[in-house]
Amino acid sequence: MLQDKFGRRFHYLRLSITDVCNFSCEYCLPDGYQCDTDRDFLSLEEITHIASAFAQLGTSKIRITGGEPSLRKDLPQVIQACANTQGIKHVAMTTNGYKLPDHIDSWVEAGLTSMNISIDSLDPRMFASITGHDKLDVILRGIDRAIELGITVKVNAVLMRHFNQGELKTFLNWLKTTPLTLRFIELMQTGDNQLFFDKNHTSGQPIKDQLIADGWQQIVRDKTAGPAQEFSHPDYQGRIGLIMPYSKDFCATCNRLRISALGKLHLCLFSDQGLDIRQFIADGDTQRLQDELSTLLGDKKSTHFLHDGYTGATKHLAMLGG
Ligand code: SAM
Ligand code: SF4
């Protein structure tokens, strides 16, 4: 099992397969994807090698992310390669949901077990103004189908003071009859979004206080479950959660490593740099790749330094997949 010097164990890999995105979310790519160079993204063969090397080191869950992962034409094959790897029990994906209705059946058939979909507002006009795309109805239709197919569905909403801060009631109404988990994520500062962050960052704590006052019970989660705090309520089919990266001890439960679409290992979402392991991925020598991963993990820091406004090499989260 991959373990760092602080005793944290890493059974969860977030694997970015592209940094291209078709949306232009205000906090991420407000001017849309800037295609500056030709990008040599990880091939299916390289992805298969990564999955098997990590699985042999105790990784049991892979999340496919981006950019927008559904823009890769070979996404079903990527899902299948991960799902067919011995030791990988969960294949998850994070998506903007744009391609859900037409493709969700084939992704589930390929082995997808859970999906996080980003919906920052349930008001179609607000949704369009945040993402640049009037696609809320399409995404909601895709979510219904994903629930029908029986996979675990979570919805991520980034909290923004001037956009969706007043929407708690609308989201709660939706959760009365919709069996999924909605998680509010506190807006994080990145290299590119400082002005937007300063205007829009708001803490999740008042929402947590409101939920508790309204009878929502915090769910005791497995030690390995990651940083979200989740709540349930007997009157609601859905659950609600909060991801508060600025809260104390957020990094103490870190259980994940990240690989960018260009084959760099990121020990933290906000580390100084990606560590180039592409040569070890490409040459197919699993032992060498594993030795390299174990050595590099020695440099993982105890925490991010977001509180000090330090965002490392991360210009925006489309670079790495969140
Ligand atoms: N394109 C896919 C999507 O939007 O779901 C996957 C990649 S996206 C970078 C992954 C997640 O990061 C999304 O839920 C998105 O809302 C979130 N995200 C992006 N930038 C963020 C920021 N600055 N602060 C907090 N969350 C952010
Ligand atoms: Fe694209 Fe996801 Fe970033 Fe939105 S958050 S611009 S959908 S990568």
PDB file of all heavy atoms in Angstrom, residues 14 21 27-28 65-69 94-96 116-118 120 156 158 185-190 193 317-318 321-322, ligand 1:
ATOM      1  N   ARG A  14      -6.785   9.769  -8.853  1.00  0.00           N
ATOM      2  CA  ARG A  14      -7.564  10.631  -9.754  1.00  0.00           C
ATOM      3  C   ARG A  14      -6.736  10.784 -11.028  1.00  0.00           C
ATOM      4  O   ARG A  14      -5.635  11.335 -10.999  1.00  0.00           O
ATOM      5  CB  ARG A  14      -7.829  11.995  -9.110  1.00  0.00           C
ATOM      6  CG  ARG A  14      -8.710  11.895  -7.875  1.00  0.00           C
ATOM      7  CD  ARG A  14      -8.934  13.240  -7.266  1.00  0.00           C
ATOM      8  NE  ARG A  14      -9.785  14.076  -8.085  1.00  0.00           N
ATOM      9  CZ  ARG A  14     -11.057  14.335  -7.831  1.00  0.00           C
ATOM     10  NH1 ARG A  14     -11.651  13.823  -6.765  1.00  0.00           N
ATOM     11  NH2 ARG A  14     -11.761  15.108  -8.618  1.00  0.00           N
ATOM     12  N   CYS A  21     -11.697  21.242 -22.379  1.00  0.00           N
ATOM     13  CA  CYS A  21     -13.076  21.296 -21.897  1.00  0.00           C
ATOM     14  C   CYS A  21     -13.920  22.150 -22.835  1.00  0.00           C
ATOM     15  O   CYS A  21     -13.436  23.120 -23.416  1.00  0.00           O
ATOM     16  CB  CYS A  21     -13.138  21.854 -20.484  1.00  0.00           C
ATOM     17  SG  CYS A  21     -14.809  21.690 -19.825  1.00  0.00           S
ATOM     18  N   TYR A  27     -15.250  30.070 -12.659  1.00  0.00           N
ATOM     19  CA  TYR A  27     -14.163  29.923 -11.682  1.00  0.00           C
ATOM     20  C   TYR A  27     -13.014  29.090 -12.220  1.00  0.00           C
ATOM     21  O   TYR A  27     -11.994  28.924 -11.564  1.00  0.00           O
ATOM     22  CB  TYR A  27     -14.706  29.259 -10.395  1.00  0.00           C
ATOM     23  CG  TYR A  27     -15.588  28.061 -10.679  1.00  0.00           C
ATOM     24  CD1 TYR A  27     -15.047  26.816 -10.961  1.00  0.00           C
ATOM     25  CD2 TYR A  27     -16.983  28.196 -10.703  1.00  0.00           C
ATOM     26  CE1 TYR A  27     -15.844  25.732 -11.248  1.00  0.00           C
ATOM     27  CE2 TYR A  27     -17.793  27.113 -10.993  1.00  0.00           C
ATOM     28  CZ  TYR A  27     -17.216  25.883 -11.259  1.00  0.00           C
ATOM     29  OH  TYR A  27     -18.017  24.812 -11.563  1.00  0.00           O
ATOM     30  N   CYS A  28     -13.196  28.510 -13.419  1.00  0.00           N
ATOM     31  CA  CYS A  28     -12.225  27.535 -13.919  1.00  0.00           C
ATOM     32  C   CYS A  28     -11.613  27.992 -15.244  1.00  0.00           C
ATOM     33  O   CYS A  28     -10.422  28.304 -15.310  1.00  0.00           O
ATOM     34  CB  CYS A  28     -12.925  26.182 -14.043  1.00  0.00           C
ATOM     35  SG  CYS A  28     -11.862  24.818 -14.516  1.00  0.00           S
ATOM     36  N   THR A  65     -11.039  11.834 -14.794  1.00  0.00           N
ATOM     37  CA  THR A  65     -11.451  13.231 -14.767  1.00  0.00           C
ATOM     38  C   THR A  65     -10.762  14.000 -15.896  1.00  0.00           C
ATOM     39  O   THR A  65     -10.176  13.404 -16.789  1.00  0.00           O
ATOM     40  CB  THR A  65     -11.188  13.809 -13.345  1.00  0.00           C
ATOM     41  OG1 THR A  65     -11.603  15.168 -13.303  1.00  0.00           O
ATOM     42  CG2 THR A  65      -9.740  13.715 -12.923  1.00  0.00           C
ATOM     43  N   GLY A  66     -10.888  15.323 -15.879  1.00  0.00           N
ATOM     44  CA  GLY A  66     -10.305  16.120 -16.952  1.00  0.00           C
ATOM     45  C   GLY A  66     -10.006  17.528 -16.438  1.00  0.00           C
ATOM     46  O   GLY A  66      -9.959  17.728 -15.228  1.00  0.00           O
ATOM     47  N   GLY A  67     -10.044  18.481 -17.252  1.00  0.00           N
ATOM     48  CA  GLY A  67     -10.824  18.791 -18.408  1.00  0.00           C
ATOM     49  C   GLY A  67     -12.177  18.070 -18.394  1.00  0.00           C
ATOM     50  O   GLY A  67     -12.678  17.710 -17.351  1.00  0.00           O
ATOM     51  N   GLU A  68     -12.703  17.872 -19.561  1.00  0.00           N
ATOM     52  CA  GLU A  68     -13.957  17.144 -19.637  1.00  0.00           C
ATOM     53  C   GLU A  68     -13.674  15.761 -20.235  1.00  0.00           C
ATOM     54  O   GLU A  68     -13.428  15.637 -21.444  1.00  0.00           O
ATOM     55  CB  GLU A  68     -14.974  17.945 -20.476  1.00  0.00           C
ATOM     56  CG  GLU A  68     -16.294  17.241 -20.673  1.00  0.00           C
ATOM     57  CD  GLU A  68     -16.843  16.564 -19.381  1.00  0.00           C
ATOM     58  OE1 GLU A  68     -16.793  17.167 -18.302  1.00  0.00           O
ATOM     59  OE2 GLU A  68     -17.302  15.409 -19.486  1.00  0.00           O
ATOM     60  N   PRO A  69     -13.704  14.721 -19.384  1.00  0.00           N
ATOM     61  CA  PRO A  69     -13.279  13.390 -19.852  1.00  0.00           C
ATOM     62  C   PRO A  69     -14.145  12.835 -20.968  1.00  0.00           C
ATOM     63  O   PRO A  69     -13.674  12.050 -21.793  1.00  0.00           O
ATOM     64  CB  PRO A  69     -13.369  12.525 -18.590  1.00  0.00           C
ATOM     65  CG  PRO A  69     -14.219  13.270 -17.629  1.00  0.00           C
ATOM     66  CD  PRO A  69     -14.060  14.719 -17.951  1.00  0.00           C
ATOM     67  N   THR A  94     -15.709  12.121 -13.042  1.00  0.00           N
ATOM     68  CA  THR A  94     -16.271  13.453 -12.793  1.00  0.00           C
ATOM     69  C   THR A  94     -16.495  14.113 -14.148  1.00  0.00           C
ATOM     70  O   THR A  94     -15.587  14.145 -14.981  1.00  0.00           O
ATOM     71  CB  THR A  94     -15.314  14.314 -11.930  1.00  0.00           C
ATOM     72  OG1 THR A  94     -15.066  13.626 -10.714  1.00  0.00           O
ATOM     73  CG2 THR A  94     -15.947  15.648 -11.595  1.00  0.00           C
ATOM     74  N   THR A  95     -17.697  14.607 -14.368  1.00  0.00           N
ATOM     75  CA  THR A  95     -18.050  15.141 -15.684  1.00  0.00           C
ATOM     76  C   THR A  95     -18.960  16.355 -15.558  1.00  0.00           C
ATOM     77  O   THR A  95     -19.668  16.501 -14.562  1.00  0.00           O
ATOM     78  CB  THR A  95     -18.751  14.043 -16.536  1.00  0.00           C
ATOM     79  OG1 THR A  95     -19.244  14.628 -17.749  1.00  0.00           O
ATOM     80  CG2 THR A  95     -19.926  13.405 -15.800  1.00  0.00           C
ATOM     81  N   ASN A  96     -18.939  17.188 -16.596  1.00  0.00           N
ATOM     82  CA  ASN A  96     -19.920  18.292 -16.606  1.00  0.00           C
ATOM     83  C   ASN A  96     -21.296  17.786 -17.061  1.00  0.00           C
ATOM     84  O   ASN A  96     -22.259  18.542 -17.048  1.00  0.00           O
ATOM     85  CB  ASN A  96     -19.430  19.474 -17.453  1.00  0.00           C
ATOM     86  CG  ASN A  96     -19.234  19.137 -18.934  1.00  0.00           C
ATOM     87  OD1 ASN A  96     -19.866  18.240 -19.476  1.00  0.00           O
ATOM     88  ND2 ASN A  96     -18.348  19.876 -19.591  1.00  0.00           N
ATOM     89  N   ASN A 116     -19.663  11.687 -10.539  1.00  0.00           N
ATOM     90  CA  ASN A 116     -19.916  13.009  -9.972  1.00  0.00           C
ATOM     91  C   ASN A 116     -20.207  13.958 -11.122  1.00  0.00           C
ATOM     92  O   ASN A 116     -19.426  14.015 -12.085  1.00  0.00           O
ATOM     93  CB  ASN A 116     -18.693  13.528  -9.209  1.00  0.00           C
ATOM     94  CG  ASN A 116     -18.461  12.771  -7.913  1.00  0.00           C
ATOM     95  OD1 ASN A 116     -19.186  11.837  -7.594  1.00  0.00           O
ATOM     96  ND2 ASN A 116     -17.445  13.167  -7.184  1.00  0.00           N
ATOM     97  N   ILE A 117     -21.304  14.678 -11.002  1.00  0.00           N
ATOM     98  CA  ILE A 117     -21.684  15.604 -12.068  1.00  0.00           C
ATOM     99  C   ILE A 117     -21.722  17.005 -11.481  1.00  0.00           C
ATOM    100  O   ILE A 117     -22.228  17.199 -10.366  1.00  0.00           O
ATOM    101  CB  ILE A 117     -23.066  15.212 -12.635  1.00  0.00           C
ATOM    102  CG1 ILE A 117     -22.983  13.787 -13.202  1.00  0.00           C
ATOM    103  CG2 ILE A 117     -23.524  16.177 -13.720  1.00  0.00           C
ATOM    104  CD1 ILE A 117     -24.108  12.928 -12.817  1.00  0.00           C
ATOM    105  N   SER A 118     -21.200  17.959 -12.223  1.00  0.00           N
ATOM    106  CA  SER A 118     -21.121  19.320 -11.689  1.00  0.00           C
ATOM    107  C   SER A 118     -22.365  20.119 -12.096  1.00  0.00           C
ATOM    108  O   SER A 118     -22.628  20.283 -13.283  1.00  0.00           O
ATOM    109  CB  SER A 118     -19.870  20.014 -12.235  1.00  0.00           C
ATOM    110  OG  SER A 118     -18.745  19.221 -11.945  1.00  0.00           O
ATOM    111  N   ASP A 120     -23.866  23.725 -10.706  1.00  0.00           N
ATOM    112  CA  ASP A 120     -23.695  24.800  -9.724  1.00  0.00           C
ATOM    113  C   ASP A 120     -24.987  25.542  -9.439  1.00  0.00           C
ATOM    114  O   ASP A 120     -25.059  26.317  -8.480  1.00  0.00           O
ATOM    115  CB  ASP A 120     -22.631  25.795 -10.210  1.00  0.00           C
ATOM    116  CG  ASP A 120     -21.276  25.124 -10.379  1.00  0.00           C
ATOM    117  OD1 ASP A 120     -20.951  24.234  -9.575  1.00  0.00           O
ATOM    118  OD2 ASP A 120     -20.553  25.472 -11.332  1.00  0.00           O
ATOM    119  N   ASN A 156     -21.846  17.863  -7.706  1.00  0.00           N
ATOM    120  CA  ASN A 156     -20.971  18.864  -7.085  1.00  0.00           C
ATOM    121  C   ASN A 156     -21.462  20.250  -7.439  1.00  0.00           C
ATOM    122  O   ASN A 156     -21.715  20.538  -8.617  1.00  0.00           O
ATOM    123  CB  ASN A 156     -19.545  18.754  -7.649  1.00  0.00           C
ATOM    124  CG  ASN A 156     -18.852  17.477  -7.241  1.00  0.00           C
ATOM    125  OD1 ASN A 156     -19.200  16.849  -6.237  1.00  0.00           O
ATOM    126  ND2 ASN A 156     -17.854  17.081  -8.018  1.00  0.00           N
ATOM    127  N   VAL A 158     -20.181  24.217  -6.764  1.00  0.00           N
ATOM    128  CA  VAL A 158     -19.189  25.115  -6.173  1.00  0.00           C
ATOM    129  C   VAL A 158     -19.932  26.318  -5.588  1.00  0.00           C
ATOM    130  O   VAL A 158     -20.756  26.945  -6.274  1.00  0.00           O
ATOM    131  CB  VAL A 158     -18.167  25.582  -7.243  1.00  0.00           C
ATOM    132  CG1 VAL A 158     -17.180  26.575  -6.647  1.00  0.00           C
ATOM    133  CG2 VAL A 158     -17.426  24.388  -7.833  1.00  0.00           C
ATOM    134  N   ILE A 185     -19.038  22.510  -2.696  1.00  0.00           N
ATOM    135  CA  ILE A 185     -17.578  22.618  -2.579  1.00  0.00           C
ATOM    136  C   ILE A 185     -17.227  24.088  -2.391  1.00  0.00           C
ATOM    137  O   ILE A 185     -17.689  24.945  -3.176  1.00  0.00           O
ATOM    138  CB  ILE A 185     -16.876  22.123  -3.873  1.00  0.00           C
ATOM    139  CG1 ILE A 185     -17.352  20.719  -4.251  1.00  0.00           C
ATOM    140  CG2 ILE A 185     -15.370  22.174  -3.728  1.00  0.00           C
ATOM    141  CD1 ILE A 185     -16.725  20.199  -5.552  1.00  0.00           C
ATOM    142  N   GLU A 186     -16.446  24.383  -1.383  1.00  0.00           N
ATOM    143  CA  GLU A 186     -15.984  25.764  -1.239  1.00  0.00           C
ATOM    144  C   GLU A 186     -15.093  26.114  -2.433  1.00  0.00           C
ATOM    145  O   GLU A 186     -14.222  25.318  -2.818  1.00  0.00           O
ATOM    146  CB  GLU A 186     -15.170  25.933   0.047  1.00  0.00           C
ATOM    147  CG  GLU A 186     -16.026  26.003   1.293  1.00  0.00           C
ATOM    148  CD  GLU A 186     -15.171  26.132   2.558  1.00  0.00           C
ATOM    149  OE1 GLU A 186     -13.938  26.061   2.468  1.00  0.00           O
ATOM    150  OE2 GLU A 186     -15.786  26.283   3.629  1.00  0.00           O
ATOM    151  N   LEU A 187     -15.319  27.287  -2.976  1.00  0.00           N
ATOM    152  CA  LEU A 187     -14.499  27.765  -4.092  1.00  0.00           C
ATOM    153  C   LEU A 187     -13.037  27.834  -3.651  1.00  0.00           C
ATOM    154  O   LEU A 187     -12.731  28.342  -2.580  1.00  0.00           O
ATOM    155  CB  LEU A 187     -14.997  29.167  -4.480  1.00  0.00           C
ATOM    156  CG  LEU A 187     -14.214  29.904  -5.561  1.00  0.00           C
ATOM    157  CD1 LEU A 187     -14.318  29.190  -6.905  1.00  0.00           C
ATOM    158  CD2 LEU A 187     -14.733  31.339  -5.687  1.00  0.00           C
ATOM    159  N   MET A 188     -12.153  27.275  -4.503  1.00  0.00           N
ATOM    160  CA  MET A 188     -10.720  27.316  -4.180  1.00  0.00           C
ATOM    161  C   MET A 188     -10.019  28.332  -5.075  1.00  0.00           C
ATOM    162  O   MET A 188     -10.367  28.486  -6.254  1.00  0.00           O
ATOM    163  CB  MET A 188     -10.104  25.932  -4.399  1.00  0.00           C
ATOM    164  CG  MET A 188     -10.543  24.925  -3.350  1.00  0.00           C
ATOM    165  SD  MET A 188      -9.879  23.300  -3.651  1.00  0.00           S
ATOM    166  CE  MET A 188     -11.212  22.524  -4.527  1.00  0.00           C
ATOM    167  N   GLN A 189      -9.020  28.960  -4.495  1.00  0.00           N
ATOM    168  CA  GLN A 189      -8.214  29.888  -5.291  1.00  0.00           C
ATOM    169  C   GLN A 189      -7.266  29.089  -6.177  1.00  0.00           C
ATOM    170  O   GLN A 189      -6.702  28.079  -5.746  1.00  0.00           O
ATOM    171  CB  GLN A 189      -7.407  30.792  -4.357  1.00  0.00           C
ATOM    172  CG  GLN A 189      -6.652  31.867  -5.112  1.00  0.00           C
ATOM    173  CD  GLN A 189      -5.812  32.736  -4.179  1.00  0.00           C
ATOM    174  OE1 GLN A 189      -6.060  32.791  -2.972  1.00  0.00           O
ATOM    175  NE2 GLN A 189      -4.837  33.404  -4.750  1.00  0.00           N
ATOM    176  N   THR A 190      -7.102  29.530  -7.403  1.00  0.00           N
ATOM    177  CA  THR A 190      -6.100  28.926  -8.285  1.00  0.00           C
ATOM    178  C   THR A 190      -5.253  30.068  -8.861  1.00  0.00           C
ATOM    179  O   THR A 190      -5.558  31.246  -8.622  1.00  0.00           O
ATOM    180  CB  THR A 190      -6.762  28.159  -9.451  1.00  0.00           C
ATOM    181  OG1 THR A 190      -7.544  29.084 -10.220  1.00  0.00           O
ATOM    182  CG2 THR A 190      -7.665  27.035  -8.962  1.00  0.00           C
ATOM    183  N   ASN A 193      -7.561  32.537 -10.950  1.00  0.00           N
ATOM    184  CA  ASN A 193      -8.896  33.061 -10.602  1.00  0.00           C
ATOM    185  C   ASN A 193      -8.932  33.980  -9.379  1.00  0.00           C
ATOM    186  O   ASN A 193      -9.974  34.132  -8.758  1.00  0.00           O
ATOM    187  CB  ASN A 193      -9.900  31.899 -10.429  1.00  0.00           C
ATOM    188  CG  ASN A 193      -9.748  31.158  -9.093  1.00  0.00           C
ATOM    189  OD1 ASN A 193      -8.906  31.501  -8.275  1.00  0.00           O
ATOM    190  ND2 ASN A 193     -10.585  30.155  -8.873  1.00  0.00           N
ATOM    191  N   LEU A 317      -8.383  24.289 -12.313  1.00  0.00           N
ATOM    192  CA  LEU A 317      -8.510  22.859 -11.988  1.00  0.00           C
ATOM    193  C   LEU A 317      -8.736  21.990 -13.231  1.00  0.00           C
ATOM    194  O   LEU A 317      -8.619  20.757 -13.143  1.00  0.00           O
ATOM    195  CB  LEU A 317      -9.601  22.627 -10.938  1.00  0.00           C
ATOM    196  CG  LEU A 317      -9.336  23.277  -9.562  1.00  0.00           C
ATOM    197  CD1 LEU A 317     -10.238  22.655  -8.494  1.00  0.00           C
ATOM    198  CD2 LEU A 317      -7.891  23.186  -9.119  1.00  0.00           C
ATOM    199  N   ALA A 318      -9.034  22.596 -14.386  1.00  0.00           N
ATOM    200  CA  ALA A 318      -9.148  21.795 -15.608  1.00  0.00           C
ATOM    201  C   ALA A 318      -7.794  21.164 -15.960  1.00  0.00           C
ATOM    202  O   ALA A 318      -7.732  20.157 -16.657  1.00  0.00           O
ATOM    203  CB  ALA A 318      -9.641  22.662 -16.772  1.00  0.00           C
ATOM    204  N   GLY A 321      -8.158  18.211 -12.945  1.00  0.00           N
ATOM    205  CA  GLY A 321      -9.377  17.456 -12.692  1.00  0.00           C
ATOM    206  C   GLY A 321      -9.966  17.610 -11.305  1.00  0.00           C
ATOM    207  O   GLY A 321     -10.883  16.891 -10.927  1.00  0.00           O
ATOM    208  N   GLY A 322      -9.465  18.551 -10.528  1.00  0.00           N
ATOM    209  CA  GLY A 322     -10.068  18.819  -9.219  1.00  0.00           C
ATOM    210  C   GLY A 322      -9.636  17.811  -8.177  1.00  0.00           C
ATOM    211  O   GLY A 322      -8.855  16.903  -8.450  1.00  0.00           O
TER     212      GLY A 322
HETATM  213  N1  SAM B   1     -15.139  18.947 -16.286  1.00  0.00           N
HETATM  214  C1  SAM B   1     -15.514  18.069 -15.237  1.00  0.00           C
HETATM  215  C2  SAM B   1     -16.479  18.715 -14.285  1.00  0.00           C
HETATM  216  O1  SAM B   1     -16.616  19.933 -14.307  1.00  0.00           O
HETATM  217  O2  SAM B   1     -17.110  17.993 -13.518  1.00  0.00           O
HETATM  218  C3  SAM B   1     -14.328  17.508 -14.480  1.00  0.00           C
HETATM  219  C4  SAM B   1     -13.190  18.442 -14.160  1.00  0.00           C
HETATM  220  S1  SAM B   1     -13.590  19.738 -13.013  1.00  0.00           S
HETATM  221  C5  SAM B   1     -12.055  20.582 -12.897  1.00  0.00           C
HETATM  222  C6  SAM B   1     -13.741  18.847 -11.487  1.00  0.00           C
HETATM  223  C7  SAM B   1     -14.483  19.554 -10.376  1.00  0.00           C
HETATM  224  O3  SAM B   1     -13.719  20.663  -9.928  1.00  0.00           O
HETATM  225  C8  SAM B   1     -15.848  20.106 -10.761  1.00  0.00           C
HETATM  226  O4  SAM B   1     -16.822  19.657  -9.855  1.00  0.00           O
HETATM  227  C9  SAM B   1     -15.668  21.606 -10.652  1.00  0.00           C
HETATM  228  O5  SAM B   1     -16.848  22.263 -10.291  1.00  0.00           O
HETATM  229  C10 SAM B   1     -14.611  21.709  -9.589  1.00  0.00           C
HETATM  230  N2  SAM B   1     -13.851  22.960  -9.621  1.00  0.00           N
HETATM  231  C11 SAM B   1     -13.236  23.525 -10.679  1.00  0.00           C
HETATM  232  N3  SAM B   1     -12.593  24.668 -10.306  1.00  0.00           N
HETATM  233  C12 SAM B   1     -12.824  24.814  -8.986  1.00  0.00           C
HETATM  234  C13 SAM B   1     -12.425  25.783  -8.017  1.00  0.00           C
HETATM  235  N4  SAM B   1     -11.670  26.822  -8.335  1.00  0.00           N
HETATM  236  N5  SAM B   1     -12.842  25.613  -6.737  1.00  0.00           N
HETATM  237  C14 SAM B   1     -13.607  24.544  -6.389  1.00  0.00           C
HETATM  238  N6  SAM B   1     -14.000  23.602  -7.250  1.00  0.00           N
HETATM  239  C15 SAM B   1     -13.629  23.724  -8.541  1.00  0.00           C
END
